[in-house]
Amino acid sequence: MLPVNGLHHVTSLAGDAQRNNDFFTKTLGLRRVKKTVNFDAPDVYHLYYGDEIGTPGTVMTHFPFQNAAPGTRGTGEAGEISFSVPPGSLGDWEARLSDHSPVRSTAFGAGKLAFTGPDGDALALVEAEDDRAPWTGQLPADLAIRGFHSVRLVLTETEPTRKVLEALGFAAQAEEDGIVRMASGDGGAGYLIDLEARPDLPAARQSAGSVHHVAFRVADRAAQDEVRDAMSEIGMKVTPSIDRDYFHAIYFRSPGGVLFEVATDEPGFTRDEDVATLGTALKLPEQHAHLRDQLEAGVLPTIRD
């Protein structure tokens, strides 16, 4: 059994940075735990939102490209990101998200509220018994998001991706309306991947509102090396481990087209900021530190908290 502990983070593309920040911090009530830049495009922010310290399994991240056109939904992408909320809270959330096309339903026996994010992101809240402590800087504990609940992958066919997930330690837990729920660990919120076959859809086109990659969680570099070896053995083309300052990451493209990452829990988001001031200052990777003056002088848009 590989040492994969469910979801680590999910990264999406976005449009306007201020709009993205306001929605995830003020509307959804998450904490911005890091304000840094895209390693490959330092003129673009990388914004991280999660619980108080950005615990793995709670962190939604975004690359906001100011003039990005909306992405197009289809196959080969993460089609919906769901967050865990307390049982009985969906009524309040439905009112809170009234401008975001909320739709109530039930999925796998739990209440669900699907809605659209500021760039057309496909998001949902799912009621779950979840003992993770929420960030309560914006919302009360009986309403606040606990972290990820599940990620739904929309694929032309599910079997090849299912086999990769099984190699990562996931197992089929249930099936409903043609969607197969895969679970790792204890199978609760934060450990779930849903697979949906939609051969009738065209291939997705990534842009604002699209998920860029889905990251799974491992404890440390040794565990990551174990996963990397196992994925290589089944034919995945896996990158070397890359230092992302707050975790180490490896990447590979799943058979269904979705980019997977395996990220370490260590060192975490408090490595360069105190908990009290987490996410407030612009933090730059070492290779981009020399760009600070020009980035802060107008290359990056100002984000008002």
Side-chain angles (χ1 to χ4, degrees):
M1 182 68 69
L2 289 178
V4 173
N5 299 315
L7 294 164
H8 186 283
H9 67 272
V10 176
T11 295
S12 288
L13 305 176
D16 183 76
Q18 184 69 58
R19 182 177 60 193
N20 178 265
N21 180 85
D22 289 350
F23 179 77
F24 283 91
T25 61
K26 297 177 182 178
T27 302
L28 293 191
L30 300 177
R31 186 183 194 188
R32 193 181 70 220
V33 295
K34 196 62 59 181
K35 181 170 67 172
T36 182
V37 297
N38 186 321
F39 270 67
D40 302 316
D43 58 337
V44 175
Y45 279 119
H46 195 176
L47 304 176
Y48 293 75
Y49 311 102
D51 68 1
E52 182 180 19
I53 61 170
T55 304
T58 75
V59 182
M60 187 81 208
T61 97
H62 288 84
F63 299 131
F65 292 84
Q66 290 300 112
N67 299 310
T72 302
R73 300 274 81 84
T75 59
E77 68 171 350
E80 184 177 71
I81 308 302
S82 296
F83 300 94
S84 171
V85 295
S89 66
L90 288 188
D92 289 335
W93 275 109
E94 188 171 18
R96 186 176 185 84
L97 295 167
S98 60
D99 293 336
H100 295 273
S101 305
V103 176
R104 290 279 289 268
S105 65
T106 302
F108 293 97
K112 174 181 174 180
L113 183 71
F115 60 99
T116 55
D119 289 295
D121 326 53
L123 305 172
L125 302 175
V126 178
E127 292 182 329
E129 296 292 346
D130 190 337
D131 61 4
R132 290 177 289 180
W135 168 246
T136 54
Q138 288 283 343
L139 298 175
D142 61 358
L143 190 64
I145 288 171
R146 268 48 181 173
F148 290 118
H149 178 271
S150 54
V151 172
R152 177 165 53 86
L153 307 183
V154 180
L155 309 166
T156 301
E157 57 177 333
T158 59
E159 192 60 24
T161 299
R162 176 172 175 160
K163 289 180 179 178
V164 171
L165 288 172
E166 289 173 343
L168 286 169
F170 284 76
Q173 185 185 73
E175 184 172 353
E176 181 179 276
D177 297 329
I179 297 174
V180 177
R181 172 154 288 180
M182 307 290 291
S184 70
D186 65 5
Y191 292 82
L192 303 171
I193 298 288
D194 294 339
L195 303 179
E196 181 181 16
R198 290 295 307 272
D200 55 307
L201 296 179
R205 183 183 63 81
Q206 283 199 345
S207 193
S210 303
V211 172
H212 184 268
H213 62 265
V214 176
F216 300 99
R217 176 182 183 183
V218 292
D220 52 30
R221 293 285 302 281
Q224 186 183 73
D225 288 345
E226 186 178 346
V227 174
R228 186 177 188 276
D229 289 345
M231 292 298 99
S232 296
E233 286 177 5
I234 65 169
M236 298 296 100
K237 296 180 179 179
V238 190
T239 69
S241 186
I242 302 171
D243 185 353
R244 295 304 195 194
D245 284 356
Y246 310 108
F247 47 85
H248 284 78
I250 58 174
Y251 302 87
F252 61 95
R253 184 74 60 179
S254 67
V258 181
L259 182 61
F260 284 170
E261 176 182 341
V262 179
T264 61
D265 287 357
E266 57 184 25
F269 295 102
T270 58
R271 68 176 292 272
D272 57 1
E273 288 182 287
D274 294 333
V275 173
T277 58
L278 204 58
T280 58
L282 176 64
K283 297 297 180 179
L284 297 177
E286 182 178 354
Q287 65 266 40
H288 298 318
H290 66 287
L291 300 174
R292 178 173 295 276
D293 287 347
Q294 66 188 84
L295 292 174
E296 293 185 328
V299 171
L300 291 172
T302 300
I303 296 179
R304 301 176 304 278
D305 295 327

